[in-house]
Short mmCIF file of all heavy atoms in Angstrom, two decimals:
data_model
loop_
_atom_site.label_atom_id
_atom_site.label_comp_id
_atom_site.label_asym_id
_atom_site.label_seq_id
_atom_site.Cartn_x
_atom_site.Cartn_y
_atom_site.Cartn_z
N ALA A 33 60.90 -100.54 -109.81
CA ALA A 33 62.32 -100.72 -110.16
C ALA A 33 62.77 -102.17 -110.03
O ALA A 33 63.42 -102.69 -110.93
CB ALA A 33 63.15 -99.79 -109.34
N TYR A 53 56.21 -95.31 -116.68
CA TYR A 53 55.80 -95.49 -115.28
C TYR A 53 54.38 -94.99 -115.15
O TYR A 53 54.11 -93.78 -115.01
CB TYR A 53 56.74 -94.72 -114.37
CG TYR A 53 56.53 -95.10 -112.90
CD1 TYR A 53 57.11 -96.28 -112.39
CD2 TYR A 53 55.74 -94.35 -112.05
CE1 TYR A 53 56.91 -96.68 -111.09
CE2 TYR A 53 55.53 -94.71 -110.73
CZ TYR A 53 56.12 -95.88 -110.25
OH TYR A 53 55.92 -96.29 -108.96
N ILE A 58 48.72 -97.77 -107.22
CA ILE A 58 49.43 -97.54 -105.95
C ILE A 58 48.61 -96.72 -105.03
O ILE A 58 48.06 -95.62 -105.43
CB ILE A 58 50.81 -96.91 -106.26
CG1 ILE A 58 51.70 -97.91 -107.09
CG2 ILE A 58 51.53 -96.53 -104.95
CD1 ILE A 58 52.98 -97.36 -107.52
N GLU A 63 53.88 -93.20 -101.59
CA GLU A 63 54.44 -94.52 -102.05
C GLU A 63 54.72 -94.47 -103.51
O GLU A 63 55.75 -94.98 -103.97
CB GLU A 63 53.45 -95.63 -101.71
CG GLU A 63 53.85 -97.00 -102.15
CD GLU A 63 54.95 -97.62 -101.31
OE1 GLU A 63 55.28 -97.04 -100.21
OE2 GLU A 63 55.50 -98.63 -101.71
N TYR A 64 53.81 -93.87 -104.27
CA TYR A 64 54.02 -93.77 -105.72
C TYR A 64 55.30 -93.01 -106.06
O TYR A 64 56.11 -93.46 -106.87
CB TYR A 64 52.81 -93.02 -106.32
CG TYR A 64 52.85 -92.80 -107.81
CD1 TYR A 64 52.32 -93.67 -108.71
CD2 TYR A 64 53.43 -91.61 -108.31
CE1 TYR A 64 52.34 -93.48 -110.07
CE2 TYR A 64 53.48 -91.37 -109.68
CZ TYR A 64 52.95 -92.32 -110.54
OH TYR A 64 52.97 -92.09 -111.90
N GLU A 65 55.53 -91.87 -105.40
CA GLU A 65 56.67 -91.06 -105.70
C GLU A 65 57.96 -91.77 -105.26
O GLU A 65 59.02 -91.65 -105.91
CB GLU A 65 56.59 -89.71 -104.95
CG GLU A 65 55.44 -88.84 -105.46
CD GLU A 65 55.56 -88.41 -106.91
OE1 GLU A 65 56.70 -88.44 -107.45
OE2 GLU A 65 54.52 -88.08 -107.51
N LYS A 66 57.90 -92.56 -104.18
CA LYS A 66 59.03 -93.26 -103.70
C LYS A 66 59.46 -94.33 -104.76
O LYS A 66 60.64 -94.51 -105.08
CB LYS A 66 58.75 -93.93 -102.36
CG LYS A 66 59.96 -94.62 -101.72
CD LYS A 66 59.59 -95.09 -100.29
CE LYS A 66 60.85 -95.72 -99.64
NZ LYS A 66 60.50 -96.14 -98.24
N ARG A 67 58.47 -95.05 -105.22
CA ARG A 67 58.76 -96.12 -106.22
C ARG A 67 59.18 -95.48 -107.53
O ARG A 67 60.11 -96.04 -108.19
CB ARG A 67 57.49 -96.94 -106.45
CG ARG A 67 57.05 -97.74 -105.21
CD ARG A 67 55.96 -98.71 -105.58
NE ARG A 67 55.36 -99.26 -104.35
CZ ARG A 67 54.59 -100.36 -104.31
NH1 ARG A 67 54.33 -101.01 -105.47
NH2 ARG A 67 54.09 -100.82 -103.24
N LYS A 68 58.61 -94.38 -107.87
CA LYS A 68 59.06 -93.75 -109.17
C LYS A 68 60.50 -93.26 -109.07
O LYS A 68 61.28 -93.41 -110.04
CB LYS A 68 58.12 -92.54 -109.47
CG LYS A 68 58.48 -91.88 -110.81
CD LYS A 68 57.46 -90.81 -111.16
CE LYS A 68 57.56 -89.59 -110.29
NZ LYS A 68 56.69 -88.46 -110.81
N ALA A 69 60.88 -92.69 -107.94
CA ALA A 69 62.23 -92.20 -107.76
C ALA A 69 63.23 -93.34 -107.84
O ALA A 69 64.32 -93.19 -108.42
CB ALA A 69 62.39 -91.49 -106.40
N GLU A 70 62.85 -94.52 -107.36
CA GLU A 70 63.75 -95.69 -107.44
C GLU A 70 63.87 -96.16 -108.89
O GLU A 70 64.92 -96.60 -109.33
CB GLU A 70 63.22 -96.84 -106.57
CG GLU A 70 63.44 -96.64 -105.09
CD GLU A 70 64.94 -96.72 -104.75
OE1 GLU A 70 65.63 -95.66 -104.84
OE2 GLU A 70 65.41 -97.82 -104.43
N GLN A 71 62.75 -96.05 -109.62
CA GLN A 71 62.79 -96.40 -111.03
C GLN A 71 63.75 -95.56 -111.82
O GLN A 71 64.59 -96.04 -112.58
CB GLN A 71 61.40 -96.28 -111.64
CG GLN A 71 61.30 -96.67 -113.08
CD GLN A 71 61.48 -98.15 -113.28
OE1 GLN A 71 60.59 -98.95 -113.00
NE2 GLN A 71 62.65 -98.57 -113.79
N ILE A 72 63.69 -94.24 -111.60
CA ILE A 72 64.58 -93.32 -112.28
C ILE A 72 66.03 -93.56 -111.87
O ILE A 72 66.95 -93.54 -112.70
CB ILE A 72 64.19 -91.87 -111.96
CG1 ILE A 72 62.79 -91.59 -112.55
CG2 ILE A 72 65.18 -90.86 -112.54
CD1 ILE A 72 62.19 -90.30 -112.15
N ARG A 73 66.25 -93.79 -110.59
CA ARG A 73 67.63 -94.04 -110.07
C ARG A 73 68.23 -95.31 -110.70
O ARG A 73 69.39 -95.33 -111.09
CB ARG A 73 67.61 -94.20 -108.55
CG ARG A 73 68.97 -94.42 -107.94
CD ARG A 73 69.02 -94.35 -106.45
NE ARG A 73 68.32 -95.45 -105.81
CZ ARG A 73 68.93 -96.63 -105.56
NH1 ARG A 73 70.25 -96.81 -105.88
NH2 ARG A 73 68.28 -97.59 -104.94
N PHE A 86 62.94 -92.54 -120.09
CA PHE A 86 61.87 -92.68 -119.07
C PHE A 86 60.66 -91.79 -119.43
O PHE A 86 60.86 -90.63 -119.82
CB PHE A 86 62.40 -92.20 -117.68
CG PHE A 86 61.40 -92.24 -116.56
CD1 PHE A 86 61.05 -93.44 -115.98
CD2 PHE A 86 60.81 -91.08 -116.07
CE1 PHE A 86 60.12 -93.52 -114.94
CE2 PHE A 86 59.89 -91.15 -115.08
CZ PHE A 86 59.55 -92.35 -114.54
N ASP A 88 57.01 -90.61 -117.82
CA ASP A 88 56.16 -90.55 -116.64
C ASP A 88 54.74 -90.24 -116.99
O ASP A 88 54.43 -89.62 -118.00
CB ASP A 88 56.75 -89.48 -115.67
CG ASP A 88 56.11 -89.53 -114.27
OD1 ASP A 88 55.44 -90.55 -113.96
OD2 ASP A 88 56.30 -88.57 -113.53
N CYS A 89 53.81 -90.60 -116.11
CA CYS A 89 52.41 -90.21 -116.19
C CYS A 89 52.01 -89.58 -114.81
O CYS A 89 52.52 -89.94 -113.80
CB CYS A 89 51.53 -91.42 -116.49
SG CYS A 89 51.76 -92.09 -118.15
#
Side-chain angles (χ1 to χ4, degrees):
Y53 193 80
I58 297 176
E63 178 73 12
Y64 179 91
E65 296 297 338
K66 185 173 183 178
R67 297 189 190 195
K68 181 173 75 172
E70 284 293 87
Q71 181 69 75
I72 295 170
R73 182 171 71 85
F86 180 75
D88 190 14
C89 290

